[in-house]
Amino acid sequence: MSDPLLFNPRTYDPAHFDPETRRLLRATVDWFEARGKRKLIEDYRTRAWLGDFIAFSAKEGLFATFLTPAPAAGVVEPDQRWYTARIAALNEIFGFYGLDYWYAWQVTILGLGPVWQSDNAAARSRAAELLSEGEVFAFGLSEKTHGADIYSTDMLLEPSTDGSGGFRATGSKYYIGNGNAAGLVSVFGRRTDVEGPDGYVFFAADSRHEAYHLVQNVVDSSKYVSEFRLVDYPVRAEDVLHTGRAAFDAALNTVNVGKFNLCTASIGICEHAMYEAVTHAQGRILYGRPVTAFPHVRRELTDAYVRLVGMKLFSDRAVDYFRSAGPDDRRYLLFNPMTKMKVTTEGEKVIDLMWDVIAAKGFEKDTYFANAAVEIRGLPKLEGTVHVNLALILKFMRNHLLAPAEYAPVPTRLDAADDAFLFAQGPARGLGSVRFHDWRPAYDAYATVPNVGRFREQADALCEFVLTAAPDEEQSRDLDLLLAVGQLFALVVHGQLILEQARLTGLDEDVLDELFGVLVRDFSAHAVELHGKESATEAQQEWALAAVRRPVGDTERTARVWDRVESLAGAYEMAP
């Protein structure tokens, strides 16, 4: 039996998309399935460059169709648009088959960000042409010494002396995906003749130019995460994408677009691994019984399953806010780091729970799981660490919990529209002014579900914490304490969007109840962590212990959810 909540290549039919999107998604699945599991694992183990995958993408026009905004595509290619819902669907497929494939696609998205935000029509036209030719792209932001600290970039641009408006660029970039093969690399640097933010420049470089020197792949992987150096690289006026503060904003806004993709890649990894794990556990006989007969195994696999469902519900609903964003609705700025931080760390928990069940099997060289166990660790650490994104999430806590604003309801957004605002986000500041709709109605709609009601008690308690025991000015400099508070707030937001999506999709209430039982436990664990912080005040310690709750147990409900998990055994296995 196929579970409708999980991606299964055997039954996958993205009928909710337009015909060309359906064709391309299905063609991608079929390409991977035709290659087979042995080839998939062999390429991963031998760190083979993804040339055949890039050739497939070029032949099908995959990247060009999915990553060319409508204004850049013109009327010649009506299926080309930047359409977040289908981008998310492709992320999930790539994650399902291997993060190396997703990574080549992800850094292409990042490399395109500064181009599609640019007023440079020639550069946009060039990028569209390169996409149509099957080229990949790269995002030259990070540096070996400074990381992604763009205030301290050592990529220096010396103005040309011929009055052409160009530059000569010299400097290194580090941790740059696709830097070995990109037709266009968006590179961030600063002018030598202008101080401060007015001196920033984003420009387009070509990895095949003689002044572009590829140093190394800094990881031992099929992902080509390059170090490269420009030496007196000629930057023509037509290569300049942004200057001054606009270059700074383009860097941050590009990451806003790109880091959203990590959540659905994590989901795809977990789905493939879950099919393997449940199938193995069901077929493994221990002491005369299947491993799945043991109560602790059932609990771990059930927890993994409902966490994975929660990841999918949150991410699907976040897509709607991304697509409906505009100058007066920037709620995506909270939901985006949530997908990056919360969903990807949930993915780690899902893999860990399954790994505890299958144990040594998770190391075997002929399993997808062995790859998944390694790759799932990377996603929380890309496009900003968990701590960076938690700190960002905290900026929205007071407005979200205590100062709701009125917004028109946001529907499910699967329409074939171009998400133009993502490349017109404007200045990357003003987070304190972002307002949100009231989070309570999403919880009220499921007030009769026992564990939703129990978790709502904890969410209300967090509001009381913000009003009566919030960190003072001195504590606000203690990031260790603040991050514990951030985890509590993130759970409330996580639950909110899960409930909104459950309402829109008619999710089985048994699954929802079981999932919120897990969230109740998580909230309690983070409250205990806050209680133990050295700098926590007596009032904060008392609040933390008072916020601890026990989930509402129901053996019959848990048994029904287990039946769903057990049905995954044998539901999918990749052809050899």
Side-chain angles (χ1 to χ4, degrees), residues 303 306-307 513-523 551:
D303 282 3
V306 295
R307 284 188 187 276
D513 200 9
E514 197 74 20
L515 168 58
F516 269 81
V518 170
L519 299 187
V520 169
R521 280 192 268 126
D522 287 352
F523 195 99

Side-chain angles (χ1 to χ4, degrees), residues 109-119 139 141 150 186-188 200-203 241-258 422-429:
I109 287 172
L110 292 171
L112 286 165
V115 181
W116 297 146
Q117 293 176 68
S118 176
D119 291 331
F139 185 53
L141 186 67
I150 56 183
S186 296
V187 183
F188 185 85
Y200 295 139
V201 179
F202 240 125
F203 63 95
L241 303 172
H242 301 274
T243 59
R245 177 74 196 197
F248 179 91
D249 291 337
L252 297 185
N253 290 337
T254 293
V255 174
N256 280 342
V257 174
L422 298 181
F423 303 109
Q425 295 176 57
R429 55 180 180 267

Side-chain angles (χ1 to χ4, degrees), residues 38 40 60 111 254 264 381 385 388:
R38 189 175 296 112
L40 196 77
E60 296 290 346
T254 293
T264 34
K381 299 165 183 64
T385 64
V388 166

Side-chain angles (χ1 to χ4, degrees), residues 189-209:
R190 61 183 172 90
R191 298 174 58 149
T192 58
D193 62 328
V194 179
E195 295 292 328
D198 289 341
Y200 295 139
V201 179
F202 240 125
F203 63 95
D206 184 346
S207 69
R208 300 170 182 86
H209 194 282

Side-chain angles (χ1 to χ4, degrees), residues 250-272:
L252 297 185
N253 290 337
T254 293
V255 174
N256 280 342
V257 174
K259 72 181 176 183
F260 183 79
N261 299 313
L262 280 72
C263 62
T264 34
S266 181
I267 288 165
I269 292 172
C270 291
E271 287 171 320
H272 197 156

Side-chain angles (χ1 to χ4, degrees), residues 394-456:
L394 270 170
K395 295 179 183 293
F396 303 103
M397 181 169 70
R398 183 171 288 273
N399 273 359
H400 183 276
L401 291 178
L402 303 177
E406 290 293 328
Y407 286 96
V410 172
T412 300
R413 291 294 309 276
L414 296 172
D415 50 304
D418 199 67
D419 299 342
F421 176 72
L422 298 181
F423 303 109
Q425 295 176 57
R429 55 180 180 267
L431 301 185
S433 65
V434 177
R435 303 287 297 279
F436 301 89
H437 60 295
D438 194 344
W439 58 273
R440 294 169 183 83
Y443 285 86
D444 293 342
Y446 285 99
T448 59
V449 176
N451 280 307
V452 175
R454 186 63 52 88
F455 186 81
R456 171 64 188 273

